[in-house]
Amino acid sequence: MVVDAQLQKPLRPKDGTAGIERPKALMESIAEDPRHLVTLSSRHVVSSRQFDRDTLTQLFRLSAQYESTPALMHLPLQGKILISAFYEPSTRTRLSFESAWHRLGGDIMSITDPKSTGMAKGESLADIAEMFNNYGDVIVLRSNQDRAIYEMLDTLRIPIVNAGNGIDEHPTQAMADLYTIFKWRPQLLDPDLPPDRRVRVGIIGVPNRMRTVRSLLLLLARFSSAFEEVVILTDEARPFDPGQQEELAEQGLSVRVAQDLGAELPGLDVVYINAIAWVGDSYEAMGADLKLSTDSPLKAGAIILHPLARGEELSTDLDDTSHNWYFAQARGAVFIRMALLTCIVRRISEVMDTP
């Protein structure tokens, strides 16, 4: 029977280091410098704009350290409480944050429905933030409202992490995306990378409507020397907000817009695809005709990233190919969030020597 045959198969390796990821190679390519991580202590995480190249590089190193040496993991967040406030549907982001916090030894209080909070009675976000100050040490917030996190900042005395706010930003997702790219090719971190070693990135999405794409572009710009070009593949007539593309160009990131996916794919080393933009309490599917499958003319050796959850834009027939790095991307998000949370809760000195 088919069921019996399936039950006889051994489980896939649980440890991500046994797969395609190479966190140890990335870790060993970066010289440890905790000074940049110390500056994150008690800091809010709202936008990708907050992070410079050196801080991101050290976050990637600590993430790779957590991922490659799980048996040596400390529990630096024992006695600390995370308020996990997800006012918008989420699977990967919420569970990866909570997994990260548990793995570091902390405790969690979860809110998954705003109707179960004072918001249902008309309580302001500022007042909710004031109450949160008394209950936890860090807040992770996801909201379908762009301004929600900003309305809480003035009354917060504990750090808050943006886990996605409307169509504005999703900074920790972008960190996980970039962490995946640098595990794939650690040499891309070299600030003196020769032009012929740079890679070309294609982003199938809409920068002014998708928070994952907006945040990713901001972080790619911090490492513009690694990328020959970023091609935005979209069927939208106006994919950028005013000034958005100019901001990226000022940091040296070459960005071009194209519509013909088939013509661009053979020249792309990294293909990032998303099709969902959250709008209020629901979502909008965009770029329905821009899809990837094994029939797509992908470059040999190219990798595919997707923030997940996916729809028809990314065929499951790619799952068993070497192009699939989107599952590795999701696994790595736990470790990047572990690194970030360790830093903002002022426990970095428990996992490395600090000045």
Side-chain angles (χ1 to χ4, degrees):
M1 295 176 62
V2 174
V3 173
D4 291 337
Q6 290 174 330
L7 292 175
Q8 294 301 317
K9 292 181 180 179
L11 293 174
R12 292 184 177 183
K14 182 178 179 180
D15 182 2
T17 61
I20 54 176
E21 307 99 316
R22 294 182 288 273
K24 189 173 182 181
L26 175 60
M27 181 182 68
E28 292 176 346
S29 72
I30 303 169
E32 183 178 292
D33 187 351
R35 293 175 300 171
H36 301 286
L37 300 183
V38 171
T39 64
L40 297 176
S41 176
S42 299
R43 292 271 302 277
H44 298 308
V45 177
V46 177
S47 169
S48 291
R49 291 183 178 87
Q50 296 174 237
F51 296 88
D52 60 29
R53 180 183 180 120
D54 290 334
T55 302
L56 289 164
T57 300
Q58 290 301 314
L59 277 172
F60 296 148
R61 188 190 188 282
L62 180 56
S63 304
Q65 181 177 329
Y66 275 140
E67 186 171 4
S68 59
T69 56
L72 301 178
M73 193 178 299
H74 298 272
L75 298 175
L77 301 191
Q78 282 186 323
K80 295 293 185 178
I81 297 174
L82 174 72
I83 300 174
S84 176
F86 277 73
Y87 297 153
E88 179 189 281
S90 171
T91 301
R92 275 148 298 277
T93 302
R94 181 172 67 84
L95 292 182
S96 68
F97 265 112
E98 294 184 5
S99 175
W101 194 266
H102 276 305
R103 288 168 187 256
L104 294 168
D107 297 307
I108 293 172
M109 296 186 297
S110 293
I111 304 169
T112 57
D113 185 355
K115 294 178 182 177
S116 67
T117 73
M119 289 177 67
K121 303 175 184 179
E123 186 175 20
S124 71
L125 286 167
D127 282 357
I128 291 173
E130 182 62 54
M131 294 303 100
F132 282 167
N133 290 325
N134 305 306
Y135 304 147
D137 298 286
V138 176
I139 305 162
V140 174
L141 177 70
R142 168 169 282 192
S143 173
N144 53 29
Q145 301 299 319
D146 293 6
R147 296 298 307 170
I149 194 167
Y150 298 101
E151 291 176 16
M152 300 176 76
L153 293 179
D154 286 343
T155 51
L156 281 175
R157 297 186 298 278
I158 60 175
I160 189 168
V161 179
N162 182 2
N165 61 322
I167 61 171
D168 183 38
E169 282 214 53
H170 197 346
T172 63
Q173 176 64 54
M175 292 177 193
D177 302 338
L178 208 52
Y179 176 54
T180 307
I181 292 173
F182 290 139
K183 280 193 294 182
W184 170 62
R185 287 195 184 174
Q187 63 268 31
L188 292 174
L189 281 167
D190 182 355
D192 299 316
L193 189 71
D196 62 351
R197 302 288 298 279
R198 298 173 186 173
V199 298
R200 300 180 72 248
V201 177
I203 297 179
I204 304 170
V206 187
N208 65 354
R209 301 288 294 157
M210 296 175 176
R211 60 194 178 199
T212 56
V213 174
R214 188 191 305 271
S215 286
L216 175 59
L217 283 168
L218 289 168
L219 291 194
L220 289 174
R222 296 291 190 262
F223 298 88
S224 57
S225 60
F227 305 107
E228 178 184 343
E229 183 183 42
V230 175
V231 182
I232 304 298
L233 290 147
T234 179
D235 52 14
E236 296 289 310
R238 296 181 178 178
F240 288 98
D241 285 333
Q244 188 178 11
Q245 191 169 4
E246 290 78 6
E247 178 184 4
L248 302 171
E250 287 173 2
Q251 298 183 62
L253 191 68
S254 175
V255 180
R256 175 170 60 88
V257 178
Q259 290 77 38
D260 191 338
L261 178 61
E264 299 290 343
L265 281 178
L268 299 176
D269 302 287
V270 179
V271 183
Y272 186 99
I273 182 168
N274 191 13
I276 298 299
W278 280 94
V279 182
D281 295 329
S282 186
Y283 64 87
E284 180 180 357
M286 311 182 82
D289 294 330
L290 300 174
K291 300 179 181 180
L292 294 177
S293 71
T294 51
D295 292 329
S296 302
L298 291 157
K299 181 179 180 179
I303 64 170
I304 298 172
L305 302 180
H306 192 303
L308 303 175
R310 65 171 158 188
E312 294 181 358
E313 75 278 0
L314 179 60
S315 174
T316 57
D317 65 10
L318 284 161
D319 291 356
D320 291 326
T321 72
S322 60
H323 299 300
N324 174 6
W325 275 67
Y326 36 91
F327 291 157
Q329 176 187 2
R331 284 193 295 272
V334 173
F335 303 104
I336 198 76
R337 287 164 178 149
M338 287 175 67
L340 184 64
L341 292 168
T342 299
C343 296
I344 65 176
V345 187
R346 297 178 294 176
R347 294 297 178 89
I348 189 63
S349 61
E350 296 195 18
V351 295
M352 63 175 61
D353 292 331
T354 57

